Amino acid sequence: EIDQAYEDNNGKLPDYNDIQGLPYLDSCIHEALRLHTPVGNLLRTCNEETKLLGTDYIIKKNDLLTISAIGIHMDERYYPNPKQFNPDNFSKEARQGRSPYTFLAFGQGPRACIGMRFALLEAKVATAMMMRKFTFLPSAKNPEELEVDPVSQLGYIKGGLWANIERR
């Protein structure tokens, strides 16, 4: 997909519309953000007393709520085999089959990250440029199962990530 976009643009970096029109690249970036959520929890303050649907539990005005983005991103009800990298989790069909509130890498609603669109575009451009020039292969230095560093507030992998990179 990336190579085709470059070829369609005479070997130059594709323009904004072309980059935004790469569905597999978009799915891969969203899946990476789901699997390695940069911010694990969202904090919100309740602005009016609310009864949780299907329960007798009442959240009072000004109560502080913690929403586990990682917990939602790893929930099998929304993402089958949640520990496995699967870009198909973000295919058009998969997205239509679940609530948009099951992906919280940038938050959701009126308090969502205002830089989300720019950050996604930047990630797409950087990935396209790297994939055009390099091939990324797994490294034997990585453990079989990656573990999030418990002291990292941004979900870094314990011990770091390694890759074998070859120029194309």
Side-chain angles (χ1 to χ4, degrees):
E1 176 182 84
I2 291 170
D3 286 339
Q4 186 62 52
Y6 269 89
E7 285 178 34
D8 293 347
N9 202 36
N10 299 318
K12 296 179 192 166
L13 179 67
D15 67 18
Y16 173 84
N17 290 324
D18 293 333
I19 291 284
Q20 297 295 58
L22 300 175
Y24 192 71
L25 176 61
D26 184 74
S27 293
C28 287
I29 288 172
H30 277 83
E31 179 66 354
L33 288 167
R34 179 198 67 81
L35 198 57
H36 302 288
T37 307
V39 179
N41 294 309
L42 303 174
L43 299 175
R44 297 293 183 263
T45 302
C46 186
N47 59 12
E48 64 182 50
E49 190 170 290
T50 305
K51 182 178 176 184
L52 287 181
L53 291 174
T55 73
D56 291 329
Y57 191 81
I58 295 176
I59 302 171
K60 296 180 181 107
K61 183 177 180 173
N62 295 322
D63 278 356
L64 184 63
L65 304 174
T66 302
I67 301 154
S68 174
I70 291 173
I72 292 170
H73 290 174
M74 292 295 165
D75 192 322
E76 290 183 354
R77 292 176 294 176
Y78 310 120
Y79 302 100
N81 302 311
K83 291 185 178 181
Q84 180 181 347
F85 182 81
N86 179 11
D88 290 339
N89 282 328
F90 289 91
S91 68
K92 186 176 181 181
E93 298 77 24
R95 288 180 195 220
Q96 289 173 344
R98 68 173 176 264
S99 167
Y101 293 96
T102 60
F103 180 72
L104 300 171
F106 295 98
Q108 279 291 351
R111 301 286 184 265
C113 174
I114 61 171
M116 176 182 68
R117 290 175 193 228
F118 178 71
L120 287 171
L121 176 63
E122 190 173 44
K124 290 175 187 180
V125 168
T127 301
M129 291 175 73
M130 289 188 309
M131 298 302 286
R132 179 70 173 168
K133 293 182 180 181
F134 302 101
T135 298
F136 292 80
L137 302 167
S139 170
K141 289 184 180 183
N142 290 324
E144 280 292 316
E145 191 161 322
L146 300 177
E147 181 183 345
V148 175
D149 188 337
V151 298
S152 170
Q153 293 183 6
L154 295 176
Y156 292 147
I157 300 301
K158 193 173 187 177
L161 287 174
W162 299 86
N164 291 319
I165 302 171
E166 297 175 359
R167 186 172 289 280
R168 291 176 72 183

